[in-house]
């Protein structure tokens, strides 16, 4: 096939090259030639000879066949050409297609490569995704574990915080609660859910909220922790004293989120302090008793010595009596130091500024100092510079005590030479004068480095051989003078003595030239006193003033001798062998009607108790021992309402001029009406309820007292007053009324004692009430 194909290709190529005519001629010549050759070869082969006919016949055959061959070949060539051209077109198309296919193939390869790359990348991404999923699952699992651990820790922490008795809470910067523990929920009476979003003003009373918000602002403004103490109130009214600490707290980004608050209940600490104060009161009572027991014989010595000095005596006797008086006075001043020391320890020390005869004070100090120096054979010099005022406003007892301490020390430390008393006065204004009182001695002196130490409690100069005594006089003296607005200074040179100077600015006052005038008629007085010496002195003084005196030396004698129609006044010693003056007063107030009782006045050597304590016990006034004329006259003038509207009838009894009320323990009329009109059972049920609620009332009352919450004290006392009054506890009602009345004089000084008395008296009063109800039941039966 290949040669034929090549021949056909050659034939077509030749036709195309020669053209149809030349090709036809050439083809005819070739056919003729071929025909001749074939004819001649065949003829020659068959016959052995070639004839002309054969040649002609071959030529003729060639000529005849040539057109048909040319035509046939032309058609074939044309068809072949057409086929070739179509084939060429097809080849070109195929080439284009091939080229396109090649492009497509290349593109497909590129796409395949890209797809393979993308598939690789997807496989990598899928692998990474699967790895990420695995990692995420691990992280989720770890997070779940961490969340579980966190929840467990949170639950543990919450349990720990809730089990803490301390307050724990936190507020945001807007002052709103964000959370708290169980202790705070109990304090405010709200759950944490209800508390969240509230401000302190929504939770606490306004006064407490003000302090809380103020301290919150301090924490935020200063951006630092703050610790302070505050009373907070429970829903039932109980108050607790908390030590509160607030600290700012921050988020992870450093932004401040609010504050954390912690509160520790230190009420027990306050109670401990109250116990300490009670121990101080017990100590005070002991000192009071000791003072009374020591002063009682001492006052007798002082009084008798003064009475002896008014009688004719020789020089030796007068000197001996002066020595006795001096010794008694010295002991009295030591007692004053001890009492003042106790008051300083209890922080209840105070001075009573009042008009006093300054000249008389200086005369007494001069006399006593000169007496001491005479016993030691020393010189005394008293000098006054400037117009010394006769009357000033000061505390006469304290000033006398200080001057005595300083002059006594000067005498005690001086063995050779003497003592100088220099009083200098300089007018500061028409109503005020500067006093400088100097006591100079010629004793051993004081080292300069000990000038301040000698004013310390119990300190004594080590180099002094005469340093005997309590060592509290100078310390108490300086504090007394400073309490009056002055000071004590010292200058000294060792071996040449010391000089103590009192500098005090005082106001001037006018006093009458004579002793206080008696503005009351002669009185029939029942004097209740158990010490024979005191009886002698008091009886002599009272009779000298024109009064008639009946003496009772025990409480039983006083009650037996008392007749409200016979006596105009009762002077009650507080400490007696069988009972106290308070017991006598209580008995008389219960036994007699208010209009029939004469005034009761306390007569005591107790320098610790305040005048208000005696007034609260039903006495109108108090006279302190040793008694003197002016004190007695002043007291009697005040007791019998001098300056008030009295009866002008000559025979008018002093006790009728006095308006006072008896103070029964029970309201008998109310109780009887209650039993008769409402019924005994209702009353007994009310008493049982009172017994039940009273301890809670007292607990709240005491916490308010520790908190110094005046309104809280008054509010709770008002409840007690109403409850006590409704069942006839008159004494408890009166006590509660005092406690609920802050406007009373010295209310803060007495309210603690009233509350203590309230808690002590109400069980006994309830027993009396029960007994009375039983008696009424028996009578009705």
């Amino acid at each position: 096939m290949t040669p034929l194909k090549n021949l056909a290709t050659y034939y077509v190529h030749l036709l195309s090259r020669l053209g149809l005519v030349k090709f036809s001629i050439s083809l005819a010549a070739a056919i003729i030639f071929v025909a001749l050759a074939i004819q001649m070869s065949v003829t020659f082969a068959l016959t052995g000879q070639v004839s002309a006919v054969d040649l002609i016949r071959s030529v003729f055959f060639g000529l005849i066949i040539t057109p048909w061959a040319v035509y046939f070949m032309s058609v074939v060539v044309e068809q072949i050409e057409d086929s070739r051209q179509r084939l060429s077109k097809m080849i070109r198309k195929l080439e284009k297609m091939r080229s396109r296919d090649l492009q497509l193939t290349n593109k497909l390869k590129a796409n395949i490569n890209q797809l393979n790359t993308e598939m690789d990348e997807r496989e990598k991404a899928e692998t990474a995704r699967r790895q990420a999923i695995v990692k995420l699952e691990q992280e989720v699992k770890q997070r779940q574990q961490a969340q579980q651990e966190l929840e467990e820790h949170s639950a543990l922490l919450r349990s720990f915080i809730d089990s803490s008795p301390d307050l724990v809470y936190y507020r945001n910067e807007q002052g709103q609660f964000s959370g708290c523990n169980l202790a705070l929920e109990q304090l405010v009476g709200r759950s944490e859910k209800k508390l969240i979003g509230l401000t302190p003003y929504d939770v606490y009373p306004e006064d407490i909220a003000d302090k809380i918000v103020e301290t919150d602002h301090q924490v935020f403004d200063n951006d630092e922790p703050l610790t302070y103490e505050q009373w907070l109130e429970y829903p039932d009214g109980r108050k607790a004293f908390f030590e509160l600490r607030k600290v700012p707290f921050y988020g992870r980004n450093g932004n401040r989120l609010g504050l954390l608050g912690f509160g520790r209940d230190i009420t027990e600490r306050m109670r401990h302090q109250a116990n300490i104060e009670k121990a101080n009161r017990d100590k005070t009572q002991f000192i009071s008793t000791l003072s009374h027991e020591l002063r009682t014989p001492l006052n007798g010595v002082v009084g008798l010595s003064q009475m002896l000095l008014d009688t004719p005596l020789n020089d030796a006797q007068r000197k001996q009596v002066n020595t006795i008086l001096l010794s008694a006075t010295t002991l009295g001043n030591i007692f004053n130091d001890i009492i003042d020391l106790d008051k300083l320890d209890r922080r209840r020390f105070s001075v009573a500024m009042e008009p006093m005869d300054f000249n008389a004070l200086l005369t007494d100090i001069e006399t006593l100092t000169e007496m001491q120096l005479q016993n030691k054979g020393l010189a005394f010099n008293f000098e006054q510079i400037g117009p010394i005022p006769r009357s000033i406003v000061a505390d006469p007892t304290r000033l006398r005590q200080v001057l005595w301490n300083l002059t006594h020390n000067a005498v005690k430390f001086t063995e050779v030479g003497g003592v100088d008393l220099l009083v200098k006065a300089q007018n500061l204004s028409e109503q005020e004068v500067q006093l400088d009182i100097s006591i100079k001695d010629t004793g051993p002196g004081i080292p300069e480095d000990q000038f301040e130490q000698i004013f310390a409690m119990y300190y004594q100069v080590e180099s002094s051989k005469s340093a005997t005594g309590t060592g509290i006089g100078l310390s108490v003296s300086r504090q007394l003078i400073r309490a009056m607005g002055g000071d004590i200074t010292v200058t000294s040179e060792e071996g040449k003595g010391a000089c103590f100077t009192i500098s005090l600015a005082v106001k001037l006052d006018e006093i009458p030239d004579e002793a206080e005038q008696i503005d009351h008629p002669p009185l029939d007085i029942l004097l209740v006193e158990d010490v024979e010496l005191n009886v002698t002195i008091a009886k002599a003084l009272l009779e000298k003033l024109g009064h008639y005196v009946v003496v009772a030396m025990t409480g039983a004698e006083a009650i037996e001798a008392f007749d409200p129609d016979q006596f105009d006044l009762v002077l009650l010693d507080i400490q007696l062998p069988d009972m106290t003056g308070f017991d006598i007063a209580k008995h008389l107030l219960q036994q007699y009607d208010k209009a029939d009782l004469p005034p009761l006045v306390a007569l005591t050597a107790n320098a610790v108790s305040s005048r208000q304590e005696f007034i609260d016990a039903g006495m109108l006034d108090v006279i302190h021992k040793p008694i003197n004329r002016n004190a007695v006259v002043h007291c009697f003038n005040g007791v019998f309402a001098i300056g008030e509207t009295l009866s002008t009838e000559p025979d008018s009894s002093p006790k009728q001029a006095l308006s006072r009320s008896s103070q029964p323990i029970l309201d008998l009329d109310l109780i009887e009406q209650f039993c008769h009109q409402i019924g005994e059972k209702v009353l007994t049920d009310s008493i049982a309820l009172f017994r039940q609620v009273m301890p809670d009332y007292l607990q709240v009352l005491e916490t308010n007292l520790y908190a110094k919450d005046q309104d809280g004290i008054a509010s709770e006392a008002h409840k007690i007053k109403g409850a006590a009054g409704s069942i006839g506890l008159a004494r408890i009602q009166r006590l509660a009324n005092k406690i609920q009345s802050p406007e009373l004089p010295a209310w803060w000084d007495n309210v603690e004692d009233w509350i203590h008395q309230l808690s002590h008296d109400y069980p006994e009063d309830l027993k009396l009430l029960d007994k009375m109800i039983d008696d009424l039941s028996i009578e009705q039966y």
Side-chain angles (χ1 to χ4, degrees):
M1 283 298 291
T2 301
L4 291 175
K5 182 178 180 181
N6 293 334
L7 179 61
T9 302
Y10 178 74
Y11 178 80
V12 173
H13 176 68
L14 185 61
L15 175 62
S16 299
R17 183 177 180 182
L18 296 178
L20 183 58
V21 177
K22 289 180 179 181
F23 179 76
S24 297
I25 293 173
S26 297
L27 180 59
I31 290 172
I32 290 173
F33 177 75
V34 172
L36 287 177
I38 293 171
Q39 183 68 31
M40 289 176 63
S41 297
V42 173
T43 301
F44 180 75
L46 292 178
T47 63
Q49 62 179 358
V50 177
S51 64
V53 176
D54 290 330
L55 291 174
I56 295 170
R57 194 170 37 245
S58 297
V59 172
F60 181 74
F61 172 77
L63 292 174
I64 294 172
I65 200 66
T66 295
W68 293 100
V70 171
Y71 173 74
F72 173 77
M73 291 300 294
S74 297
V75 172
V76 172
V77 168
E78 287 178 1
Q79 290 180 352
I80 290 174
E81 183 64 22
D82 290 340
S83 297
R84 186 187 65 81
Q85 289 179 357
R86 286 195 301 270
L87 181 60
S88 296
K89 289 180 181 180
M90 289 180 66
I91 290 172
R92 285 194 297 270
K93 288 182 180 181
L94 288 174
E95 288 177 352
K96 290 181 181 180
M97 291 178 65
R98 181 181 178 185
S99 176
R100 185 177 178 183
D101 288 343
L102 182 60
Q103 292 177 354
L104 291 175
T105 299
N106 292 335
K107 187 175 182 181
L108 181 58
K109 288 180 180 181
N111 290 338
I112 290 173
N113 292 334
Q114 183 177 0
L115 181 60
N116 290 334
T117 303
E118 290 178 356
M119 289 179 67
D120 291 339
E121 291 177 354
R122 286 183 182 181
E123 287 179 359
K124 292 180 181 179
E126 182 67 19
T127 302
R129 186 182 68 84
R130 290 177 180 177
Q131 292 175 351
I133 291 174
V134 173
K135 186 177 180 180
L136 182 61
E137 289 176 349
Q138 293 176 348
E139 290 179 354
V140 169
K141 187 175 181 180
Q142 292 175 354
R143 185 174 299 177
Q144 289 175 346
Q145 292 176 349
Q147 183 69 24
Q148 184 177 358
E149 292 176 358
L150 180 61
E151 290 176 357
E152 291 176 355
H153 290 162
S154 298
L156 179 62
L157 179 61
R158 180 69 188 192
S159 176
F160 173 76
I161 293 176
D162 281 343
S163 64
S164 171
D166 295 342
L167 306 180
V168 179
Y169 59 90
Y170 42 100
R171 288 195 288 271
N172 58 28
E173 292 226 331
Q174 289 71 44
Q176 298 171 329
F177 281 95
S178 300
C180 68
N181 70 338
L182 182 61
L184 187 69
E185 290 180 354
Q186 295 172 346
L187 174 67
V188 300
R190 304 188 187 192
S191 66
E192 183 182 31
K193 292 182 179 179
K194 294 182 179 179
L195 193 62
I196 292 175
L198 300 181
T199 67
Y201 286 103
D202 300 322
V203 178
Y204 301 103
E206 184 176 358
D207 56 336
I208 296 177
D210 286 340
K211 182 66 176 293
I212 291 175
V213 172
E214 177 187 351
T215 52
D216 284 357
H217 288 164
Q218 292 179 19
V219 172
F220 291 142
D221 294 342
N222 300 327
D223 202 23
E224 61 183 19
L226 174 67
T227 302
Y228 70 102
E229 296 175 350
Q230 185 176 8
W231 285 95
L232 300 176
E233 186 174 347
Y234 283 89
D236 60 0
R238 289 183 299 112
K239 284 186 171 59
F241 196 57
F242 284 91
E243 181 183 68
L244 300 171
R245 180 168 179 79
K246 298 178 178 179
V247 296
F249 75 95
Y250 305 86
R252 293 182 178 179
N253 56 2
N255 293 333
R256 188 173 63 198
L257 303 179
L259 63 81
L260 285 171
F262 308 91
R264 172 155 296 180
D265 188 347
I266 57 173
T267 309
E268 286 302 319
R269 186 190 305 172
M270 298 293 294
R271 294 184 187 277
H272 178 66
Q273 292 176 353
N275 292 334
I276 293 176
E277 292 177 1
K278 183 179 182 301
N280 287 335
R281 287 196 299 270
D282 294 340
K283 181 180 71 174
T284 300
Q285 182 62 37
F286 170 75
I287 291 176
S288 173
T289 303
L290 179 65
S291 171
H292 180 274
E293 296 299 330
L294 294 176
R295 282 180 179 275
T296 297
L298 183 63
N299 291 335
V301 174
V302 173
L304 287 177
S305 299
Q306 292 174 338
M307 293 176 66
L308 285 174
L309 289 174
D310 291 336
T311 63
L313 299 172
N314 59 39
D315 292 342
Q317 291 173 333
R318 186 168 297 278
K319 183 176 181 181
Q320 292 170 353
V321 173
N322 281 333
T323 302
I324 294 173
L325 179 60
L326 177 62
S327 301
T329 305
T330 302
L331 286 176
N333 281 281
I334 292 175
F335 295 158
N336 288 336
D337 286 344
I338 295 173
I339 293 169
D340 286 334
L341 175 62
D342 173 65
K343 290 184 176 181
L344 289 170
D345 287 342
R346 293 184 290 120
R347 303 295 189 268
R348 296 183 64 179
F349 171 78
S350 62
V351 294
M353 307 296 282
E354 59 184 46
M356 60 169 289
D357 190 338
F358 186 55
N359 277 340
L361 171 64
L362 292 178
T363 301
D364 290 343
I365 296 298
E366 178 187 10
T367 302
L368 292 172
T369 306
E370 192 169 15
M371 288 170 53
Q372 294 180 87
L373 291 171
Q374 286 176 356
N375 293 336
K376 299 181 69 172
L378 301 175
F380 177 66
N381 178 43
F382 177 44
E383 184 178 355
Q384 301 182 44
I385 300 176
I388 304 301
R390 179 178 180 185
S391 176
I392 62 174
V393 177
D395 188 325
T397 302
R398 308 298 191 193
L399 188 55
R400 181 186 301 273
Q401 179 181 344
V402 172
L403 287 173
W404 170 253
N405 272 325
L406 295 179
T407 56
H408 179 69
N409 284 342
V411 174
K412 179 172 65 174
F413 287 97
T414 302
E415 300 297 334
V416 178
V419 174
D420 295 336
L421 175 60
L422 176 63
V423 181
K424 180 180 179 181
Q426 181 180 358
N427 292 331
L428 299 178
S429 66
E430 294 182 358
Q431 296 296 325
E432 192 173 17
V433 63
Q434 174 70 33
L435 294 177
D436 294 314
I437 307 172
S438 300
I439 298 94
K440 183 178 181 181
D441 62 63
T442 56
I446 303 170
E448 185 176 356
D449 59 356
Q450 299 184 35
F451 280 2
E452 287 299 321
Q453 296 178 8
I454 60 174
F455 290 103
M457 196 68 67
Y458 308 114
Y459 184 82
Q460 294 176 336
V461 179
E462 296 179 359
S463 62
S464 175
K465 298 180 180 180
S466 303
T468 60
T470 62
I472 63 176
L474 284 178
S475 176
V476 172
S477 295
R478 171 174 268 189
Q479 294 189 61
L480 290 173
I481 293 298
R482 285 181 172 177
M484 287 186 276
D487 201 0
I488 300 179
T489 57
V490 60
T491 58
S492 178
E493 185 177 350
E494 288 190 76
K496 295 184 179 180
C499 180
F500 288 84
T501 301
I502 300 172
S503 300
L504 184 64
V506 295
K507 293 183 179 180
L508 300 176
D509 193 78
E510 295 295 333
I511 61 173
D513 293 336
E514 303 297 332
E516 187 167 0
Q517 299 299 316
I518 299 176
D519 293 324
H520 54 271
L523 307 172
D524 291 322
I525 300 174
L526 175 60
L527 173 63
V528 185
E529 171 63 62
D530 65 320
V531 179
E532 187 66 38
L533 286 175
N534 292 345
V535 171
T536 302
I537 297 170
K539 191 171 184 292
L541 176 60
L542 294 171
E543 289 178 345
K544 189 175 181 179
L545 292 173
H547 305 301
Y548 175 74
V549 181
V550 174
V551 177
M553 301 192 70
T554 65
E557 290 180 10
I559 293 174
E560 183 179 355
F562 179 76
D563 184 348
D565 296 325
Q566 180 182 349
F567 297 104
D568 300 315
L569 179 71
V570 179
L571 288 177
L572 288 173
D573 185 23
I574 296 302
Q575 291 190 345
L576 298 168
D578 54 344
M579 63 180 68
T580 68
F582 295 122
D583 296 331
I584 298 174
K586 181 178 179 181
H587 175 83
L588 297 179
L589 291 170
Q590 292 176 357
Q591 186 173 359
Y592 295 96
D593 187 71
K594 61 180 181 179
D596 297 331
L597 278 178
L600 307 179
V601 175
L603 185 63
T604 180
N606 186 351
V608 178
S609 299
S610 66
R611 181 173 179 269
Q612 187 65 38
E613 293 181 51
F614 299 101
I615 295 176
D616 293 339
M619 305 176 197
L620 271 75
D621 207 344
V622 58
I623 299 175
H624 290 281
K625 302 176 185 178
I627 63 174
N628 59 71
R629 178 190 181 280
N630 284 345
V632 171
V633 172
H634 178 76
C635 174
F636 288 3
N637 286 346
V639 165
F640 292 107
I642 300 305
E644 298 179 3
T645 303
L646 303 178
S647 173
T648 57
E649 297 180 7
D651 297 333
S652 176
S653 173
K655 66 185 176 186
Q656 294 175 352
L658 177 68
S659 176
R660 66 178 308 279
S661 62
S662 61
Q663 297 183 341
I665 295 178
L666 304 177
D667 189 339
L668 304 181
D669 294 338
L670 175 66
I671 296 170
E672 290 179 355
Q673 292 176 10
F674 207 128
C675 289
H676 294 157
Q677 297 178 8
I678 301 178
E680 181 182 333
K681 185 178 185 307
V682 177
L683 179 57
T684 55
D685 290 344
S686 299
I687 295 172
L689 179 61
F690 182 84
R691 275 195 173 95
Q692 181 182 351
V693 300
M694 191 62 180
D696 294 334
Y697 284 159
L698 287 175
Q699 184 182 13
V700 175
L701 193 62
E702 289 175 356
T703 58
N704 281 282
L705 174 65
Y706 298 147
K708 299 295 182 182
D709 185 350
Q710 178 176 296
D711 294 337
I713 294 172
S715 174
E716 206 64 24
H718 182 74
K719 298 177 185 177
I720 297 175
K721 173 188 172 184
S726 65
I727 58 175
L729 296 177
R731 179 167 66 172
I732 302 302
Q733 186 181 21
R734 288 194 304 273
L735 275 173
N737 186 56
K738 290 180 182 179
I739 297 171
Q740 75 157 16
S741 305
E743 68 276 4
L744 292 176
W747 182 81
W748 271 118
D749 294 332
N750 294 285
V751 68
E752 181 177 1
D753 295 332
W754 292 337
I755 293 174
H756 178 72
Q757 183 180 353
L758 182 71
S759 61
H760 177 269
D761 288 349
Y762 93 87
E764 298 298 326
D765 292 1
L766 283 174
K767 292 179 182 178
L768 291 176
L769 180 57
D770 291 338
K771 186 176 184 304
M772 180 181 178
I773 294 174
D774 292 340
D775 294 341
L776 289 175
S777 299
I778 293 173
E779 291 177 3
Q780 290 177 359
Y781 180 76

